[in-house]
Short mmCIF file of all heavy atoms in Angstrom, two decimals:
data_model
loop_
_atom_site.label_atom_id
_atom_site.label_comp_id
_atom_site.label_asym_id
_atom_site.label_seq_id
_atom_site.Cartn_x
_atom_site.Cartn_y
_atom_site.Cartn_z
N MET A 1 0.85 -1.17 0.00
CA MET A 1 0.00 0.00 0.00
C MET A 1 0.90 1.24 0.00
O MET A 1 1.90 1.31 0.69
CB MET A 1 -0.90 -0.01 1.23
CG MET A 1 -1.84 1.13 1.27
SD MET A 1 -3.07 1.03 2.57
CE MET A 1 -2.17 1.71 3.92
N SER A 2 0.55 2.20 -0.78
CA SER A 2 1.34 3.43 -0.87
C SER A 2 0.67 4.55 -0.09
O SER A 2 -0.47 4.45 0.32
CB SER A 2 1.52 3.82 -2.33
OG SER A 2 0.26 4.03 -2.93
N LYS A 3 1.45 5.61 0.11
CA LYS A 3 0.96 6.80 0.82
C LYS A 3 1.38 8.05 0.05
O LYS A 3 2.31 8.02 -0.74
CB LYS A 3 1.58 6.86 2.23
CG LYS A 3 1.23 5.70 3.13
CD LYS A 3 1.85 5.91 4.49
CE LYS A 3 1.61 4.77 5.41
NZ LYS A 3 0.24 4.58 5.83
N TRP A 4 0.67 9.14 0.33
CA TRP A 4 1.07 10.42 -0.24
C TRP A 4 2.23 10.95 0.59
O TRP A 4 2.08 11.21 1.78
CB TRP A 4 -0.08 11.41 -0.24
CG TRP A 4 -1.04 11.13 -1.34
CD1 TRP A 4 -2.24 10.52 -1.22
CD2 TRP A 4 -0.86 11.41 -2.72
NE1 TRP A 4 -2.82 10.40 -2.46
CE2 TRP A 4 -1.99 10.94 -3.39
CE3 TRP A 4 0.16 12.00 -3.46
CZ2 TRP A 4 -2.13 11.05 -4.78
CZ3 TRP A 4 0.01 12.12 -4.83
CH2 TRP A 4 -1.12 11.65 -5.47
N CYS A 5 3.40 11.05 -0.02
CA CYS A 5 4.61 11.48 0.67
C CYS A 5 5.26 12.60 -0.14
O CYS A 5 5.11 12.66 -1.37
CB CYS A 5 5.60 10.33 0.80
SG CYS A 5 4.97 8.90 1.68
N TYR A 6 6.02 13.42 0.55
CA TYR A 6 6.68 14.54 -0.12
C TYR A 6 7.98 14.08 -0.75
O TYR A 6 8.82 13.47 -0.11
CB TYR A 6 6.95 15.66 0.89
CG TYR A 6 7.43 16.92 0.24
CD1 TYR A 6 6.53 17.75 -0.43
CD2 TYR A 6 8.76 17.29 0.26
CE1 TYR A 6 6.95 18.91 -1.03
CE2 TYR A 6 9.19 18.45 -0.33
CZ TYR A 6 8.29 19.26 -0.99
OH TYR A 6 8.71 20.40 -1.59
N ASN A 7 8.13 14.37 -2.03
CA ASN A 7 9.36 14.08 -2.75
C ASN A 7 10.16 15.38 -2.81
O ASN A 7 9.75 16.34 -3.45
CB ASN A 7 9.05 13.57 -4.16
CG ASN A 7 10.29 13.24 -4.95
OD1 ASN A 7 11.39 13.62 -4.59
ND2 ASN A 7 10.11 12.53 -6.05
N TYR A 8 11.30 15.41 -2.13
CA TYR A 8 12.10 16.63 -2.07
C TYR A 8 12.67 17.02 -3.43
O TYR A 8 12.86 18.21 -3.71
CB TYR A 8 13.23 16.48 -1.05
CG TYR A 8 12.74 16.33 0.37
CD1 TYR A 8 12.84 15.11 1.04
CD2 TYR A 8 12.14 17.39 1.05
CE1 TYR A 8 12.38 14.96 2.34
CE2 TYR A 8 11.68 17.26 2.34
CZ TYR A 8 11.81 16.05 2.98
OH TYR A 8 11.35 15.90 4.27
N ASP A 9 12.96 16.04 -4.26
CA ASP A 9 13.54 16.36 -5.57
C ASP A 9 12.53 17.04 -6.50
O ASP A 9 12.87 17.99 -7.19
CB ASP A 9 14.07 15.09 -6.24
CG ASP A 9 15.30 14.54 -5.53
OD1 ASP A 9 16.03 15.34 -4.91
OD2 ASP A 9 15.52 13.32 -5.60
N SER A 10 11.29 16.57 -6.49
CA SER A 10 10.29 17.17 -7.39
C SER A 10 9.58 18.35 -6.74
O SER A 10 8.96 19.15 -7.42
CB SER A 10 9.25 16.11 -7.79
OG SER A 10 8.44 15.76 -6.69
N GLY A 11 9.62 18.40 -5.38
CA GLY A 11 8.92 19.45 -4.68
C GLY A 11 7.42 19.22 -4.64
O GLY A 11 6.65 20.16 -4.42
N GLN A 12 6.99 17.96 -4.85
CA GLN A 12 5.57 17.63 -4.91
C GLN A 12 5.27 16.45 -4.00
O GLN A 12 6.15 15.65 -3.69
CB GLN A 12 5.22 17.21 -6.35
CG GLN A 12 5.58 18.21 -7.40
CD GLN A 12 4.40 19.04 -7.81
OE1 GLN A 12 3.27 18.60 -7.69
NE2 GLN A 12 4.66 20.23 -8.31
N TYR A 13 4.01 16.34 -3.61
CA TYR A 13 3.54 15.13 -2.93
C TYR A 13 3.26 14.10 -4.01
O TYR A 13 2.69 14.43 -5.06
CB TYR A 13 2.28 15.41 -2.10
CG TYR A 13 2.60 16.05 -0.78
CD1 TYR A 13 2.68 17.42 -0.65
CD2 TYR A 13 2.87 15.26 0.34
CE1 TYR A 13 2.99 18.02 0.56
CE2 TYR A 13 3.18 15.85 1.56
CZ TYR A 13 3.24 17.22 1.66
OH TYR A 13 3.56 17.79 2.86
N GLU A 14 3.69 12.87 -3.74
CA GLU A 14 3.52 11.80 -4.71
C GLU A 14 3.04 10.54 -4.01
O GLU A 14 3.21 10.39 -2.80
CB GLU A 14 4.85 11.52 -5.42
CG GLU A 14 5.38 12.71 -6.18
CD GLU A 14 6.70 12.44 -6.88
OE1 GLU A 14 7.13 11.27 -6.94
OE2 GLU A 14 7.31 13.41 -7.36
N ASP A 15 2.49 9.65 -4.77
CA ASP A 15 2.02 8.35 -4.29
C ASP A 15 3.23 7.41 -4.26
O ASP A 15 3.64 6.90 -5.31
CB ASP A 15 0.93 7.84 -5.24
CG ASP A 15 0.18 6.65 -4.71
OD1 ASP A 15 0.22 6.42 -3.49
OD2 ASP A 15 -0.45 5.96 -5.52
N ILE A 16 3.80 7.20 -3.06
CA ILE A 16 5.06 6.46 -2.92
C ILE A 16 4.86 5.28 -1.98
O ILE A 16 4.28 5.44 -0.90
CB ILE A 16 6.18 7.37 -2.39
CG1 ILE A 16 6.38 8.57 -3.33
CG2 ILE A 16 7.48 6.60 -2.22
CD1 ILE A 16 7.38 9.61 -2.83
N ASP A 17 5.36 4.11 -2.38
CA ASP A 17 5.24 2.96 -1.49
C ASP A 17 6.42 2.92 -0.52
O ASP A 17 7.34 3.74 -0.61
CB ASP A 17 5.08 1.65 -2.27
CG ASP A 17 6.33 1.18 -2.98
OD1 ASP A 17 7.43 1.72 -2.76
OD2 ASP A 17 6.20 0.22 -3.77
N GLU A 18 6.39 1.97 0.40
CA GLU A 18 7.38 1.91 1.48
C GLU A 18 8.80 1.70 0.97
O GLU A 18 9.77 2.10 1.62
CB GLU A 18 7.00 0.79 2.45
CG GLU A 18 7.77 0.81 3.72
CD GLU A 18 7.22 -0.13 4.76
OE1 GLU A 18 6.23 -0.83 4.50
OE2 GLU A 18 7.78 -0.13 5.88
N ASP A 19 8.95 1.10 -0.21
CA ASP A 19 10.27 0.85 -0.78
C ASP A 19 10.81 2.04 -1.56
O ASP A 19 11.94 2.00 -2.06
CB ASP A 19 10.23 -0.37 -1.69
CG ASP A 19 9.93 -1.64 -0.92
OD1 ASP A 19 10.36 -1.75 0.25
OD2 ASP A 19 9.26 -2.52 -1.49
N GLY A 20 10.02 3.09 -1.70
CA GLY A 20 10.46 4.28 -2.41
C GLY A 20 10.03 4.34 -3.86
O GLY A 20 10.50 5.18 -4.61
N TYR A 21 9.13 3.46 -4.26
CA TYR A 21 8.64 3.50 -5.63
C TYR A 21 7.52 4.53 -5.74
O TYR A 21 6.53 4.46 -5.03
CB TYR A 21 8.13 2.13 -6.09
CG TYR A 21 7.71 2.12 -7.53
CD1 TYR A 21 8.67 1.99 -8.54
CD2 TYR A 21 6.39 2.26 -7.90
CE1 TYR A 21 8.31 2.00 -9.86
CE2 TYR A 21 6.01 2.26 -9.23
CZ TYR A 21 6.97 2.14 -10.21
OH TYR A 21 6.61 2.15 -11.52
N SER A 22 7.70 5.50 -6.62
CA SER A 22 6.70 6.53 -6.85
C SER A 22 5.78 6.11 -7.98
O SER A 22 6.21 5.99 -9.14
CB SER A 22 7.37 7.86 -7.21
OG SER A 22 6.41 8.80 -7.65
N TYR A 23 4.52 5.85 -7.64
CA TYR A 23 3.54 5.51 -8.67
C TYR A 23 3.22 6.74 -9.52
O TYR A 23 2.80 6.60 -10.66
CB TYR A 23 2.27 4.94 -8.03
CG TYR A 23 2.52 3.59 -7.42
CD1 TYR A 23 2.78 3.46 -6.06
CD2 TYR A 23 2.53 2.43 -8.20
CE1 TYR A 23 3.03 2.22 -5.50
CE2 TYR A 23 2.78 1.19 -7.64
CZ TYR A 23 3.02 1.09 -6.29
OH TYR A 23 3.28 -0.14 -5.74
N THR A 24 3.45 7.90 -8.97
CA THR A 24 3.22 9.14 -9.71
C THR A 24 4.21 9.26 -10.86
O THR A 24 3.85 9.62 -11.98
CB THR A 24 3.34 10.36 -8.77
OG1 THR A 24 2.46 10.17 -7.66
CG2 THR A 24 3.00 11.64 -9.48
N GLN A 25 5.50 8.96 -10.58
CA GLN A 25 6.54 9.08 -11.60
C GLN A 25 6.76 7.78 -12.36
O GLN A 25 7.35 7.77 -13.44
CB GLN A 25 7.87 9.49 -10.96
CG GLN A 25 7.90 10.88 -10.44
CD GLN A 25 9.29 11.29 -10.00
OE1 GLN A 25 10.30 10.73 -10.44
NE2 GLN A 25 9.37 12.27 -9.13
N GLY A 26 6.38 6.65 -11.76
CA GLY A 26 6.63 5.36 -12.39
C GLY A 26 8.08 4.93 -12.24
O GLY A 26 8.60 4.19 -13.07
N ALA A 27 8.74 5.38 -11.15
CA ALA A 27 10.14 5.05 -10.92
C ALA A 27 10.45 5.16 -9.44
O ALA A 27 9.68 5.77 -8.68
CB ALA A 27 11.04 6.00 -11.70
N TYR A 28 11.57 4.58 -9.04
CA TYR A 28 11.99 4.72 -7.65
C TYR A 28 12.53 6.13 -7.41
O TYR A 28 13.17 6.71 -8.28
CB TYR A 28 13.08 3.69 -7.31
CG TYR A 28 12.51 2.32 -7.07
CD1 TYR A 28 12.42 1.40 -8.10
CD2 TYR A 28 12.04 1.96 -5.81
CE1 TYR A 28 11.88 0.15 -7.89
CE2 TYR A 28 11.50 0.71 -5.59
CZ TYR A 28 11.42 -0.19 -6.62
OH TYR A 28 10.88 -1.42 -6.41
N VAL A 29 12.23 6.66 -6.23
CA VAL A 29 12.75 7.96 -5.82
C VAL A 29 13.58 7.76 -4.56
O VAL A 29 13.38 6.80 -3.83
CB VAL A 29 11.61 8.99 -5.58
CG1 VAL A 29 10.89 9.29 -6.89
CG2 VAL A 29 10.63 8.50 -4.55
N TYR A 30 14.53 8.64 -4.33
CA TYR A 30 15.47 8.42 -3.24
C TYR A 30 15.48 9.53 -2.21
O TYR A 30 15.96 9.33 -1.10
CB TYR A 30 16.88 8.23 -3.83
CG TYR A 30 16.90 7.06 -4.78
CD1 TYR A 30 16.79 7.25 -6.16
CD2 TYR A 30 16.96 5.76 -4.30
CE1 TYR A 30 16.77 6.17 -7.02
CE2 TYR A 30 16.94 4.66 -5.16
CZ TYR A 30 16.86 4.89 -6.51
OH TYR A 30 16.83 3.81 -7.36
N ASN A 31 14.96 10.68 -2.53
CA ASN A 31 14.99 11.81 -1.62
C ASN A 31 13.55 12.20 -1.28
O ASN A 31 13.01 13.16 -1.83
CB ASN A 31 15.75 12.98 -2.26
CG ASN A 31 16.05 14.07 -1.28
OD1 ASN A 31 15.97 13.88 -0.08
ND2 ASN A 31 16.38 15.24 -1.80
N TRP A 32 12.93 11.42 -0.38
CA TRP A 32 11.52 11.62 -0.06
C TRP A 32 11.31 11.46 1.43
O TRP A 32 12.11 10.87 2.14
CB TRP A 32 10.65 10.65 -0.86
CG TRP A 32 10.96 9.20 -0.65
CD1 TRP A 32 12.01 8.50 -1.15
CD2 TRP A 32 10.21 8.27 0.13
NE1 TRP A 32 11.96 7.20 -0.73
CE2 TRP A 32 10.86 7.03 0.06
CE3 TRP A 32 9.05 8.36 0.88
CZ2 TRP A 32 10.39 5.90 0.70
CZ3 TRP A 32 8.59 7.23 1.51
CH2 TRP A 32 9.26 6.02 1.41
N ASP A 33 10.22 12.01 1.91
CA ASP A 33 9.90 12.00 3.34
C ASP A 33 9.18 10.70 3.69
O ASP A 33 8.00 10.53 3.37
CB ASP A 33 9.02 13.20 3.69
CG ASP A 33 8.64 13.27 5.15
OD1 ASP A 33 9.15 12.45 5.94
OD2 ASP A 33 7.84 14.15 5.51
N ASP A 34 9.89 9.79 4.36
CA ASP A 34 9.30 8.50 4.71
C ASP A 34 8.86 8.47 6.18
O ASP A 34 8.65 7.40 6.74
CB ASP A 34 10.27 7.37 4.43
CG ASP A 34 11.54 7.44 5.24
OD1 ASP A 34 11.81 8.48 5.86
OD2 ASP A 34 12.28 6.43 5.26
N SER A 35 8.65 9.62 6.79
CA SER A 35 8.31 9.68 8.21
C SER A 35 6.97 9.00 8.51
O SER A 35 6.80 8.44 9.60
CB SER A 35 8.30 11.12 8.71
OG SER A 35 7.34 11.89 8.02
N GLU A 36 6.04 9.01 7.58
CA GLU A 36 4.75 8.31 7.79
C GLU A 36 4.98 6.81 7.95
O GLU A 36 4.38 6.17 8.81
CB GLU A 36 3.80 8.57 6.64
CG GLU A 36 3.18 9.93 6.65
CD GLU A 36 2.20 10.11 7.80
OE1 GLU A 36 1.44 9.17 8.11
OE2 GLU A 36 2.20 11.18 8.39
N TYR A 37 5.85 6.26 7.12
CA TYR A 37 6.15 4.83 7.21
C TYR A 37 6.91 4.50 8.49
O TYR A 37 6.65 3.49 9.14
CB TYR A 37 6.95 4.36 6.00
CG TYR A 37 6.13 4.30 4.73
CD1 TYR A 37 6.32 5.20 3.70
CD2 TYR A 37 5.15 3.32 4.57
CE1 TYR A 37 5.57 5.14 2.55
CE2 TYR A 37 4.38 3.26 3.42
CZ TYR A 37 4.61 4.17 2.41
OH TYR A 37 3.85 4.11 1.27
N ILE A 38 7.84 5.37 8.87
CA ILE A 38 8.61 5.15 10.11
C ILE A 38 7.67 5.20 11.31
O ILE A 38 7.74 4.34 12.19
CB ILE A 38 9.74 6.20 10.23
CG1 ILE A 38 10.79 5.95 9.15
CG2 ILE A 38 10.36 6.16 11.62
CD1 ILE A 38 11.83 7.04 9.03
N SER A 39 6.79 6.18 11.36
CA SER A 39 5.84 6.29 12.47
C SER A 39 4.94 5.06 12.55
O SER A 39 4.68 4.54 13.64
CB SER A 39 4.96 7.53 12.31
OG SER A 39 5.73 8.70 12.38
N GLU A 40 4.49 4.60 11.41
CA GLU A 40 3.63 3.43 11.37
C GLU A 40 4.37 2.19 11.89
O GLU A 40 3.83 1.40 12.66
CB GLU A 40 3.14 3.20 9.94
CG GLU A 40 2.10 2.13 9.80
CD GLU A 40 1.60 2.07 8.38
OE1 GLU A 40 2.21 1.33 7.58
OE2 GLU A 40 0.61 2.74 8.07
N ARG A 41 5.63 2.03 11.47
CA ARG A 41 6.44 0.90 11.94
C ARG A 41 6.66 0.95 13.44
O ARG A 41 6.56 -0.06 14.14
CB ARG A 41 7.80 0.90 11.23
CG ARG A 41 7.98 -0.26 10.28
CD ARG A 41 9.33 -0.26 9.63
NE ARG A 41 9.25 0.58 8.43
CZ ARG A 41 10.10 1.54 8.12
NH1 ARG A 41 11.13 1.79 8.87
NH2 ARG A 41 9.94 2.24 7.02
N GLU A 42 6.99 2.15 13.95
CA GLU A 42 7.22 2.32 15.39
C GLU A 42 5.94 2.03 16.18
O GLU A 42 6.01 1.41 17.23
CB GLU A 42 7.73 3.73 15.68
CG GLU A 42 9.14 3.95 15.22
CD GLU A 42 9.59 5.40 15.35
OE1 GLU A 42 8.74 6.28 15.60
OE2 GLU A 42 10.80 5.64 15.20
N GLU A 43 4.80 2.45 15.67
CA GLU A 43 3.54 2.19 16.36
C GLU A 43 3.24 0.69 16.37
O GLU A 43 2.82 0.14 17.39
CB GLU A 43 2.40 2.95 15.68
CG GLU A 43 1.09 2.80 16.39
CD GLU A 43 -0.01 3.64 15.76
OE1 GLU A 43 0.29 4.71 15.19
OE2 GLU A 43 -1.17 3.21 15.84
N ASP A 44 3.46 0.03 15.24
CA ASP A 44 3.25 -1.42 15.17
C ASP A 44 4.15 -2.14 16.17
O ASP A 44 3.72 -3.07 16.86
CB ASP A 44 3.51 -1.95 13.77
CG ASP A 44 2.44 -1.55 12.77
OD1 ASP A 44 1.37 -1.08 13.21
OD2 ASP A 44 2.69 -1.68 11.56
N GLU A 45 5.43 -1.73 16.23
CA GLU A 45 6.36 -2.34 17.17
C GLU A 45 5.93 -2.10 18.61
O GLU A 45 6.05 -2.99 19.46
CB GLU A 45 7.78 -1.81 16.95
CG GLU A 45 8.40 -2.29 15.65
CD GLU A 45 9.69 -1.56 15.32
OE1 GLU A 45 10.12 -0.69 16.12
OE2 GLU A 45 10.25 -1.84 14.24
N TYR A 46 5.43 -0.92 18.90
CA TYR A 46 4.96 -0.61 20.25
C TYR A 46 3.83 -1.56 20.65
O TYR A 46 3.83 -2.12 21.74
CB TYR A 46 4.48 0.84 20.33
CG TYR A 46 3.78 1.16 21.62
CD1 TYR A 46 4.50 1.44 22.77
CD2 TYR A 46 2.39 1.15 21.70
CE1 TYR A 46 3.86 1.71 23.97
CE2 TYR A 46 1.73 1.42 22.89
CZ TYR A 46 2.48 1.70 24.02
OH TYR A 46 1.84 1.97 25.21
N TRP A 47 2.85 -1.72 19.76
CA TRP A 47 1.71 -2.57 20.08
C TRP A 47 2.11 -4.04 20.18
O TRP A 47 1.56 -4.79 20.97
CB TRP A 47 0.58 -2.36 19.09
CG TRP A 47 -0.07 -1.03 19.29
CD1 TRP A 47 -0.04 0.02 18.44
CD2 TRP A 47 -0.82 -0.60 20.44
NE1 TRP A 47 -0.72 1.10 18.98
CE2 TRP A 47 -1.21 0.74 20.21
CE3 TRP A 47 -1.19 -1.20 21.63
CZ2 TRP A 47 -1.96 1.47 21.12
CZ3 TRP A 47 -1.93 -0.47 22.55
CH2 TRP A 47 -2.31 0.83 22.28
N GLU A 48 3.08 -4.45 19.37
CA GLU A 48 3.56 -5.83 19.46
C GLU A 48 4.24 -6.07 20.81
O GLU A 48 4.03 -7.11 21.44
CB GLU A 48 4.52 -6.14 18.32
CG GLU A 48 3.83 -6.31 16.99
CD GLU A 48 4.80 -6.47 15.85
OE1 GLU A 48 6.02 -6.62 16.09
OE2 GLU A 48 4.34 -6.43 14.68
N ARG A 49 5.05 -5.11 21.26
CA ARG A 49 5.70 -5.23 22.58
C ARG A 49 4.66 -5.24 23.68
O ARG A 49 4.75 -6.00 24.64
CB ARG A 49 6.68 -4.08 22.80
CG ARG A 49 7.99 -4.24 22.12
CD ARG A 49 9.02 -3.25 22.64
NE ARG A 49 8.57 -1.87 22.62
CZ ARG A 49 8.71 -1.02 21.62
NH1 ARG A 49 9.30 -1.40 20.51
NH2 ARG A 49 8.28 0.21 21.71
N ASP A 50 3.63 -4.39 23.55
CA ASP A 50 2.58 -4.31 24.55
C ASP A 50 1.83 -5.64 24.63
O ASP A 50 1.51 -6.10 25.72
CB ASP A 50 1.61 -3.17 24.21
CG ASP A 50 0.62 -2.92 25.31
OD1 ASP A 50 1.04 -2.80 26.48
OD2 ASP A 50 -0.59 -2.83 25.01
N GLU A 51 1.55 -6.26 23.51
CA GLU A 51 0.88 -7.56 23.52
C GLU A 51 1.75 -8.63 24.16
O GLU A 51 1.26 -9.48 24.89
CB GLU A 51 0.51 -7.97 22.09
CG GLU A 51 -0.63 -7.18 21.50
CD GLU A 51 -0.89 -7.52 20.04
OE1 GLU A 51 -0.17 -8.39 19.49
OE2 GLU A 51 -1.79 -6.92 19.46
N ASP A 52 3.06 -8.57 23.90
CA ASP A 52 3.99 -9.53 24.51
C ASP A 52 4.03 -9.35 26.03
O ASP A 52 4.14 -10.32 26.76
CB ASP A 52 5.39 -9.38 23.93
CG ASP A 52 5.47 -9.86 22.49
OD1 ASP A 52 4.56 -10.59 22.05
OD2 ASP A 52 6.44 -9.48 21.80
N ASP A 53 3.95 -8.11 26.49
CA ASP A 53 3.97 -7.84 27.93
C ASP A 53 2.73 -8.37 28.63
O ASP A 53 2.76 -8.70 29.82
CB ASP A 53 4.08 -6.33 28.19
CG ASP A 53 5.45 -5.78 27.80
OD1 ASP A 53 6.38 -6.60 27.61
OD2 ASP A 53 5.56 -4.55 27.67
N ASP A 54 1.62 -8.46 27.91
CA ASP A 54 0.36 -8.93 28.48
C ASP A 54 0.34 -10.44 28.67
O ASP A 54 -0.50 -10.97 29.38
CB ASP A 54 -0.83 -8.51 27.61
CG ASP A 54 -1.08 -7.01 27.66
OD1 ASP A 54 -0.57 -6.36 28.60
OD2 ASP A 54 -1.77 -6.49 26.77
N ARG A 55 1.23 -11.12 28.04
CA ARG A 55 1.25 -12.60 28.11
C ARG A 55 1.91 -13.08 29.37
O ARG A 55 2.65 -12.62 30.04
CB ARG A 55 1.96 -13.18 26.90
CG ARG A 55 1.16 -12.91 25.65
CD ARG A 55 1.83 -13.52 24.48
NE ARG A 55 1.12 -13.04 23.28
CZ ARG A 55 1.57 -13.18 22.09
NH1 ARG A 55 2.70 -13.76 21.87
NH2 ARG A 55 0.88 -12.73 21.07
#
């Protein structure tokens, strides 16, 4: 699943997947804001740890 992320090179928001593939450009991009993906990963890890603590 992709997200709307800011591509610093183009100066535009683009539809970019977690691996850096821009569906907007049809190519991989390397200078983009992946903070949404990082936040999502950190939140998933938090909840996984919380579930482990409950066991």
Side-chain angles (χ1 to χ4, degrees):
M1 183 172 84
S2 60
K3 298 182 183 292
W4 282 102
C5 302
Y6 189 76
N7 181 345
Y8 295 109
D9 291 333
S10 70
Q12 305 261 334
Y13 280 89
E14 299 180 10
D15 191 19
I16 302 175
D17 72 11
E18 192 169 1
D19 295 326
Y21 184 81
S22 170
Y23 292 97
T24 306
Q25 291 188 22
Y28 282 93
V29 294
Y30 301 98
N31 191 16
W32 58 285
D33 180 6
D34 63 347
S35 61
E36 284 291 320
Y37 288 109
I38 292 171
S39 296
E40 188 175 88
R41 248 182 273 131
E42 289 172 348
E43 184 176 330
D44 289 346
E45 290 170 1
Y46 170 81
W47 289 113
E48 286 174 10
R49 281 194 307 270
D50 188 49
E51 287 175 0
D52 290 343
D53 290 345
D54 290 343
R55 293 182 189 167

